[in-house]
Amino acid sequence: MSRSTLLSVLANGDFHSGQALADLLGVSRTAVWKQLNLLAAEFELEVESRRGKGYRIPGGIDLLDPAQVKGALNSAAQRLLGRLEILETIDSTNAQVMRRAEQGAAAGLVCSAEQQTAGRGRQGRRWVSPYASNLYLSVLWDFSQGAAALEGLSLAVGVAVARALQNCGLIDIQLKWPNDVLHRNAKLGGILLEMQGDVAGPCRVVVGIGLNVAMPAAAGDSIDQAWTDIATLSEGEPPCRSALLAAVLNELLPLLAAFEQRGFRPWRTQWQALDALADAAVSLAGPTSLVGIARGVDERGALLLDTGTGIQVVHGGEISLRRVP
Ligand code: BTN
Protein backbone atom coordinates (compact mmCIF):
# COMPACT_ATOMS: atom_id res chain seq x y z
CA MET A 1 0.00 0.00 0.00
CA SER A 2 1.27 3.46 -0.82
CA ARG A 3 1.73 5.48 2.34
CA SER A 4 2.01 8.65 0.35
CA THR A 5 -1.35 7.98 -1.35
CA LEU A 6 -2.97 7.51 2.04
CA LEU A 7 -1.44 10.72 3.37
CA SER A 8 -2.33 12.73 0.30
CA VAL A 9 -5.98 11.61 0.55
CA LEU A 10 -6.15 12.52 4.24
CA ALA A 11 -4.26 15.80 3.71
CA ASN A 12 -7.50 17.73 3.14
CA GLY A 13 -8.57 17.19 6.76
CA ASP A 14 -11.95 15.63 5.81
CA PHE A 15 -13.26 12.28 7.07
CA HIS A 16 -12.69 9.31 4.74
CA SER A 17 -14.38 6.01 5.46
CA GLY A 18 -12.21 2.99 6.14
CA GLN A 19 -13.95 1.22 3.24
CA ALA A 20 -13.28 4.08 0.78
CA LEU A 21 -9.61 4.12 1.76
CA ALA A 22 -9.42 0.33 1.51
CA ASP A 23 -11.01 0.39 -1.98
CA LEU A 24 -8.73 3.18 -3.13
CA LEU A 25 -5.62 1.35 -2.03
CA GLY A 26 -6.81 -2.16 -2.88
CA VAL A 27 -6.27 -3.51 0.65
CA SER A 28 -8.46 -4.59 3.57
CA ARG A 29 -9.93 -2.14 6.11
CA THR A 30 -7.74 -3.76 8.75
CA ALA A 31 -4.67 -3.02 6.65
CA VAL A 32 -5.78 0.63 6.37
CA TRP A 33 -6.22 0.84 10.14
CA LYS A 34 -2.77 -0.69 10.77
CA GLN A 35 -1.10 1.58 8.25
CA LEU A 36 -2.73 4.66 9.76
CA ASN A 37 -1.51 3.71 13.22
CA LEU A 38 2.00 3.27 11.87
CA LEU A 39 1.90 6.61 10.06
CA ALA A 40 0.52 8.41 13.08
CA ALA A 41 3.36 7.06 15.23
CA GLU A 42 6.11 7.63 12.66
CA PHE A 43 5.15 11.16 11.68
CA GLU A 44 3.67 12.21 15.04
CA LEU A 45 0.36 12.96 13.35
CA GLU A 46 -3.01 13.05 15.03
CA VAL A 47 -5.30 10.66 13.13
CA GLU A 48 -8.86 10.81 14.43
CA SER A 49 -11.12 7.82 13.99
CA ARG A 50 -14.87 8.30 14.37
CA ARG A 51 -17.49 5.58 14.20
CA GLY A 52 -19.67 5.90 11.10
CA LYS A 53 -17.43 8.58 9.55
CA GLY A 54 -14.01 7.05 9.21
CA TYR A 55 -10.64 8.70 9.61
CA ARG A 56 -9.32 12.22 9.34
CA ILE A 57 -6.28 14.31 10.20
CA PRO A 58 -7.81 17.28 12.05
CA GLY A 59 -6.80 20.51 10.30
CA GLY A 60 -5.31 18.51 7.42
CA ILE A 61 -1.67 18.57 6.38
CA ASP A 62 0.08 20.91 4.00
CA LEU A 63 2.02 18.53 1.75
CA LEU A 64 4.57 19.79 -0.76
CA ASP A 65 3.30 19.61 -4.31
CA PRO A 66 5.96 19.65 -7.07
CA ALA A 67 3.48 20.85 -9.71
CA GLN A 68 2.45 23.77 -7.51
CA VAL A 69 6.09 24.65 -6.80
CA LYS A 70 7.00 24.62 -10.49
CA GLY A 71 3.86 26.55 -11.41
CA ALA A 72 4.84 29.37 -9.02
CA LEU A 73 8.40 29.80 -10.32
CA ASN A 74 9.33 32.96 -12.19
CA SER A 75 10.92 32.61 -15.63
CA ALA A 76 14.51 32.97 -14.35
CA ALA A 77 14.03 30.27 -11.70
CA GLN A 78 12.30 28.00 -14.22
CA ARG A 79 15.30 28.32 -16.52
CA LEU A 80 17.84 27.71 -13.74
CA LEU A 81 16.06 24.86 -11.95
CA GLY A 82 17.60 21.52 -12.86
CA ARG A 83 15.60 18.77 -11.26
CA LEU A 84 13.13 19.14 -8.38
CA GLU A 85 13.01 16.16 -6.04
CA ILE A 86 10.43 16.14 -3.26
CA LEU A 87 10.96 13.30 -0.84
CA GLU A 88 8.82 12.03 2.00
CA THR A 89 11.54 11.20 4.53
CA ILE A 90 15.30 11.55 4.27
CA ASP A 91 18.15 11.75 6.76
CA SER A 92 19.12 15.25 5.58
CA THR A 93 18.42 17.01 2.29
CA ASN A 94 22.01 18.31 2.40
CA ALA A 95 23.35 14.76 2.80
CA GLN A 96 21.08 13.59 -0.01
CA VAL A 97 22.23 16.31 -2.41
CA MET A 98 25.87 15.59 -1.46
CA ARG A 99 25.32 11.93 -2.38
CA ARG A 100 23.61 12.91 -5.62
CA ALA A 101 26.52 15.26 -6.39
CA GLU A 102 29.01 12.41 -5.90
CA GLN A 103 26.96 10.39 -8.37
CA GLY A 104 27.30 13.18 -10.93
CA ALA A 105 23.96 14.97 -10.60
CA ALA A 106 23.75 18.20 -12.60
CA ALA A 107 23.87 21.62 -10.94
CA GLY A 108 20.46 23.11 -10.28
CA LEU A 109 19.22 19.99 -8.49
CA VAL A 110 16.79 20.99 -5.74
CA CYS A 111 15.83 18.52 -3.08
CA SER A 112 13.17 19.13 -0.46
CA ALA A 113 11.61 16.71 2.00
CA GLU A 114 8.56 16.49 4.23
CA GLN A 115 10.73 15.27 7.09
CA GLN A 116 14.42 14.92 7.97
CA THR A 117 15.49 12.27 10.45
CA ALA A 118 19.01 13.67 10.85
CA GLY A 119 18.69 17.32 9.81
CA ARG A 120 22.04 19.07 10.10
CA GLY A 121 22.53 22.48 11.68
CA ARG A 122 25.66 24.57 12.02
CA GLN A 123 28.36 23.58 14.46
CA GLY A 124 27.30 19.92 14.46
CA ARG A 125 23.86 20.72 15.85
CA ARG A 126 20.69 18.85 14.96
CA TRP A 127 18.06 20.70 12.91
CA VAL A 128 14.62 19.85 14.24
CA SER A 129 12.69 18.64 11.18
CA PRO A 130 9.20 17.28 11.90
CA TYR A 131 6.92 15.94 9.16
CA ALA A 132 5.01 18.28 6.80
CA SER A 133 5.47 21.24 9.12
CA ASN A 134 8.48 23.25 7.99
CA LEU A 135 10.58 23.74 4.89
CA TYR A 136 13.84 21.83 4.35
CA LEU A 137 15.60 22.29 1.04
CA SER A 138 19.02 21.88 -0.51
CA VAL A 139 20.30 23.10 -3.86
CA LEU A 140 23.36 21.88 -5.75
CA TRP A 141 25.44 24.51 -7.56
CA ASP A 142 28.82 24.41 -9.30
CA PHE A 143 31.53 27.04 -8.91
CA SER A 144 34.71 27.00 -10.95
CA GLN A 145 37.00 29.32 -9.03
CA GLY A 146 37.30 27.57 -5.68
CA ALA A 147 36.43 28.44 -2.12
CA ALA A 148 37.75 32.00 -2.22
CA ALA A 149 35.09 32.93 -4.77
CA LEU A 150 32.44 31.71 -2.32
CA GLU A 151 33.18 34.23 0.42
CA GLY A 152 29.96 35.87 1.49
CA LEU A 153 27.79 33.33 -0.33
CA SER A 154 25.98 32.20 2.81
CA LEU A 155 25.21 35.83 3.70
CA ALA A 156 23.88 36.49 0.20
CA VAL A 157 21.71 33.36 0.54
CA GLY A 158 20.34 34.91 3.74
CA VAL A 159 19.35 38.01 1.77
CA ALA A 160 17.62 35.82 -0.84
CA VAL A 161 15.68 34.01 1.90
CA ALA A 162 14.70 37.28 3.61
CA ARG A 163 13.52 38.72 0.29
CA ALA A 164 11.50 35.58 -0.41
CA LEU A 165 9.78 35.90 2.97
CA GLN A 166 9.11 39.59 2.36
CA ASN A 167 7.65 38.70 -1.04
CA CYS A 168 5.24 36.42 0.85
CA GLY A 169 4.09 39.41 2.90
CA LEU A 170 6.13 38.75 6.05
CA ILE A 171 7.66 41.76 7.78
CA ASP A 172 10.44 42.40 10.31
CA ILE A 173 12.66 39.64 8.92
CA GLN A 174 16.29 40.11 9.93
CA LEU A 175 19.61 38.33 9.52
CA LYS A 176 22.22 37.55 12.14
CA TRP A 177 25.79 37.07 11.05
CA PRO A 178 26.82 34.72 9.67
CA ASN A 179 23.58 33.15 8.51
CA ASP A 180 20.63 32.99 10.86
CA VAL A 181 17.22 34.18 9.69
CA LEU A 182 15.42 35.91 12.54
CA HIS A 183 12.16 37.58 13.42
CA ARG A 184 12.48 39.94 16.38
CA ASN A 185 15.50 38.05 17.67
CA ALA A 186 13.83 34.64 17.50
CA LYS A 187 15.25 32.15 15.04
CA LEU A 188 13.03 31.54 12.02
CA GLY A 189 15.49 29.72 9.81
CA GLY A 190 19.06 28.74 9.15
CA ILE A 191 21.45 28.21 6.27
CA LEU A 192 24.11 25.54 5.99
CA LEU A 193 26.55 25.46 3.08
CA GLU A 194 28.57 22.32 2.44
CA MET A 195 31.22 21.90 -0.20
CA GLN A 196 32.65 19.11 -2.28
CA GLY A 197 35.73 19.30 -4.50
CA ASP A 198 38.77 21.46 -4.79
CA VAL A 199 39.16 24.43 -2.43
CA ALA A 200 41.34 26.07 -5.08
CA GLY A 201 39.44 24.97 -8.19
CA PRO A 202 36.10 23.64 -9.38
CA CYS A 203 33.82 22.77 -6.51
CA ARG A 204 30.23 21.73 -5.93
CA VAL A 205 28.30 23.53 -3.22
CA VAL A 206 25.19 22.33 -1.43
CA VAL A 207 23.12 25.24 -0.15
CA GLY A 208 20.83 24.00 2.62
CA ILE A 209 18.00 26.10 4.01
CA GLY A 210 15.64 25.30 6.85
CA LEU A 211 12.64 27.50 7.62
CA ASN A 212 10.23 27.01 10.50
CA VAL A 213 6.75 27.21 9.00
CA ALA A 214 4.33 25.64 11.48
CA MET A 215 6.47 23.96 14.10
CA PRO A 216 4.47 21.48 16.25
CA ALA A 217 4.77 22.38 19.93
CA ALA A 218 6.32 19.05 20.90
CA ALA A 219 9.09 19.42 18.31
CA GLY A 220 9.64 23.05 19.25
CA ASP A 221 10.18 22.08 22.89
CA SER A 222 13.43 20.37 21.90
CA ILE A 223 14.96 23.54 20.42
CA ASP A 224 17.44 25.09 22.83
CA GLN A 225 17.18 28.72 21.70
CA ALA A 226 14.50 31.34 21.10
CA TRP A 227 12.62 30.39 17.91
CA THR A 228 9.52 31.31 15.99
CA ASP A 229 7.71 30.13 12.89
CA ILE A 230 5.97 31.63 9.89
CA ALA A 231 2.55 30.55 11.21
CA THR A 232 3.09 32.76 14.27
CA LEU A 233 4.15 35.72 12.10
CA SER A 234 1.15 35.33 9.84
CA GLU A 235 -1.38 34.91 12.66
CA GLY A 236 -1.91 31.20 12.06
CA GLU A 237 -2.35 31.47 8.31
CA PRO A 238 1.04 30.83 6.74
CA PRO A 239 1.38 30.67 2.96
CA CYS A 240 1.35 27.02 1.85
CA ARG A 241 4.77 25.37 1.90
CA SER A 242 4.83 24.85 -1.88
CA ALA A 243 4.35 28.59 -2.41
CA LEU A 244 7.08 29.31 0.13
CA LEU A 245 9.46 26.87 -1.54
CA ALA A 246 8.83 28.53 -4.92
CA ALA A 247 9.32 31.99 -3.38
CA VAL A 248 12.71 30.91 -2.01
CA LEU A 249 13.79 29.39 -5.34
CA ASN A 250 12.69 32.53 -7.20
CA GLU A 251 15.26 34.51 -5.23
CA LEU A 252 17.89 31.85 -4.64
CA LEU A 253 18.48 30.39 -8.10
CA PRO A 254 19.20 33.76 -9.81
CA LEU A 255 21.51 34.66 -6.91
CA LEU A 256 23.47 31.41 -7.32
CA ALA A 257 23.73 31.97 -11.07
CA ALA A 258 25.17 35.46 -10.57
CA PHE A 259 27.32 34.97 -7.49
CA GLU A 260 30.53 33.67 -9.01
CA GLN A 261 30.80 36.65 -11.34
CA ARG A 262 29.62 39.32 -8.93
CA GLY A 263 30.55 38.07 -5.45
CA PHE A 264 28.98 39.40 -2.25
CA ARG A 265 29.43 43.10 -3.06
CA PRO A 266 25.99 43.68 -4.69
CA TRP A 267 24.30 42.03 -1.70
CA ARG A 268 26.12 43.92 1.01
CA THR A 269 23.82 46.93 1.27
CA GLN A 270 20.76 44.72 1.49
CA TRP A 271 22.44 42.51 4.07
CA GLN A 272 23.30 45.51 6.21
CA ALA A 273 19.70 46.77 6.00
CA LEU A 274 18.59 43.40 7.44
CA ASP A 275 21.33 43.17 10.09
CA ALA A 276 19.73 42.28 13.43
CA LEU A 277 22.86 43.22 15.37
CA ALA A 278 23.86 46.47 13.65
CA ASP A 279 25.68 48.65 16.20
CA ALA A 280 24.85 46.24 19.04
CA ALA A 281 27.27 45.12 21.73
CA VAL A 282 28.12 41.51 20.91
CA SER A 283 30.33 38.68 21.97
CA LEU A 284 31.84 36.15 19.63
CA ALA A 285 32.33 32.57 20.70
CA GLY A 286 34.61 30.43 18.60
CA PRO A 287 38.26 29.49 18.42
CA THR A 288 38.92 32.95 19.88
CA SER A 289 36.37 34.85 21.95
CA LEU A 290 35.97 38.56 21.39
CA VAL A 291 33.63 41.33 22.50
CA GLY A 292 32.84 44.58 20.74
CA ILE A 293 30.27 46.52 18.78
CA ALA A 294 29.02 44.89 15.55
CA ARG A 295 29.56 47.32 12.66
CA GLY A 296 28.14 45.35 9.76
CA VAL A 297 30.13 43.39 7.20
CA ASP A 298 32.79 44.11 4.59
CA GLU A 299 32.59 43.38 0.86
CA ARG A 300 33.56 39.78 1.44
CA GLY A 301 30.92 39.18 4.13
CA ALA A 302 33.36 39.28 7.05
CA LEU A 303 32.02 40.76 10.29
CA LEU A 304 33.42 44.13 11.30
CA LEU A 305 33.83 44.18 15.05
CA ASP A 306 34.72 47.42 16.78
CA THR A 307 36.74 46.28 19.78
CA GLY A 308 37.47 49.78 21.07
CA THR A 309 41.05 49.58 19.90
CA GLY A 310 40.19 49.24 16.22
CA ILE A 311 38.08 47.27 13.78
CA GLN A 312 38.68 43.55 13.84
CA VAL A 313 37.70 41.69 10.65
CA VAL A 314 36.14 38.34 11.55
CA HIS A 315 35.71 35.72 8.83
CA GLY A 316 33.00 33.03 9.05
CA GLY A 317 33.45 29.51 10.21
CA GLU A 318 32.53 27.78 13.41
CA ILE A 319 31.71 31.00 15.19
CA SER A 320 28.57 32.16 16.92
CA LEU A 321 27.65 35.71 17.69
CA ARG A 322 25.52 36.82 20.62
CA ARG A 323 24.08 40.13 21.71
CA VAL A 324 25.55 41.18 25.06
CA PRO A 325 22.63 41.81 27.39
C1 BTN B 1 21.66 26.39 11.23
O1 BTN B 1 22.14 25.70 12.14
O2 BTN B 1 21.23 27.53 11.45
C2 BTN B 1 21.61 25.86 9.83
C3 BTN B 1 20.41 24.96 9.64
C4 BTN B 1 20.27 24.42 8.23
C5 BTN B 1 19.13 23.43 8.14
C6 BTN B 1 18.86 23.00 6.73
S1 BTN B 1 17.34 22.09 6.60
C7 BTN B 1 17.73 21.68 4.95
C8 BTN B 1 19.22 21.35 4.93
N1 BTN B 1 19.43 19.98 5.28
C9 BTN B 1 20.07 19.85 6.44
O3 BTN B 1 20.36 18.77 6.97
N2 BTN B 1 20.36 21.05 6.94
C10 BTN B 1 19.89 22.11 6.07
Side-chain angles (χ1 to χ4, degrees):
M1 178 194 320
S2 159
R3 295 153 25 120
S4 43
T5 309
L6 195 49
L7 285 167
S8 59
V9 172
L10 289 166
N12 63 8
D14 295 342
F15 277 108
H16 299 267
S17 76
Q19 190 59 56
L21 294 172
D23 291 347
L24 180 74
L25 300 167
V27 296
S28 68
R29 283 192 301 165
T30 311
V32 167
W33 176 78
K34 280 188 186 156
Q35 187 63 261
L36 282 172
N37 280 322
L38 287 173
L39 288 174
E42 182 179 343
F43 296 137
E44 295 177 33
L45 290 172
E46 184 193 347
V47 179
E48 185 185 342
S49 141
R50 199 178 296 174
R51 187 181 284 270
K53 290 195 124 185
Y55 302 98
R56 72 167 179 172
I57 296 176
I61 40 176
D62 172 22
L63 293 174
L64 290 166
D65 175 355
Q68 201 182 340
V69 176
K70 286 186 181 164
L73 293 179
N74 62 31
S75 55
Q78 271 174 29
R79 191 169 38 80
L80 295 164
L81 175 72
R83 206 180 133 85
L84 175 65
E85 287 183 359
I86 298 204
L87 308 169
E88 187 182 86
T89 301
I90 195 73
D91 51 352
S92 142
T93 56
N94 266 28
Q96 171 70 0
V97 171
M98 277 285 194
R99 289 188 289 265
R100 305 273 283 107
E102 277 157 21
Q103 294 158 359
L109 168 69
V110 174
C111 171
S112 184
E114 298 292 0
Q115 178 192 40
Q116 297 184 119
T117 54
R120 300 176 182 169
R122 286 183 68 237
Q123 300 181 298
R125 289 170 154 206
R126 184 175 70 101
W127 188 256
V128 174
S129 310
Y131 180 77
S133 313
N134 300 324
L135 207 55
Y136 322 112
L137 73 131
S138 301
V139 181
L140 176 64
W141 208 260
D142 288 337
F143 293 89
S144 59
Q145 293 163 38
L150 304 179
E151 280 181 327
L153 175 59
S154 71
L155 279 78
V157 170
V159 174
V161 171
R163 282 171 51 150
L165 295 173
Q166 289 164 347
N167 291 343
C168 292
L170 302 169
I171 56 169
D172 292 342
I173 304 298
Q174 291 192 304
L175 299 173
K176 181 168 84 92
W177 189 90
N179 43 23
D180 283 353
V181 183
L182 305 183
H183 179 262
R184 301 194 183 142
N185 293 316
K187 187 148 168 171
L188 185 62
I191 294 157
L192 181 68
L193 264 52
E194 299 187 68
M195 211 187 103
Q196 205 177 78
D198 191 345
V199 282
C203 60
R204 316 204 80 189
V205 174
V206 178
V207 177
I209 299 170
L211 280 173
N212 300 334
V213 182
M215 180 76 82
D221 284 348
S222 64
I223 301 177
D224 62 357
Q225 60 182 308
W227 63 271
T228 188
D229 61 12
I230 293 171
T232 307
L233 272 61
S234 44
E235 291 172 359
E237 294 197 3
C240 77
R241 291 187 307 131
S242 299
L244 275 168
L245 176 52
V248 171
L249 296 175
N250 282 339
E251 293 293 326
L252 181 64
L253 293 172
L255 153 77
L256 293 173
F259 194 85
E260 190 154 34
Q261 292 304 315
R262 306 178 67 200
F264 178 63
R265 190 184 299 199
W267 303 90
R268 182 179 174 213
T269 308
Q270 290 183 65
W271 195 93
Q272 311 241 76
L274 294 161
D275 184 359
L277 294 179
D279 300 323
V282 296
S283 70
L284 263 180
T288 50
S289 48
L290 278 172
V291 287
I293 307 290
R295 299 284 189 214
V297 294
D298 71 8
E299 291 188 347
R300 296 156 72 188
L303 175 74
L304 300 174
L305 188 70
D306 184 347
T307 60
T309 54
I311 297 284
Q312 185 115 6
V313 179
V314 184
H315 293 274
E318 297 299 280
I319 303 174
S320 54
L321 185 63
R322 282 186 210 295
R323 186 187 286 274
V324 175

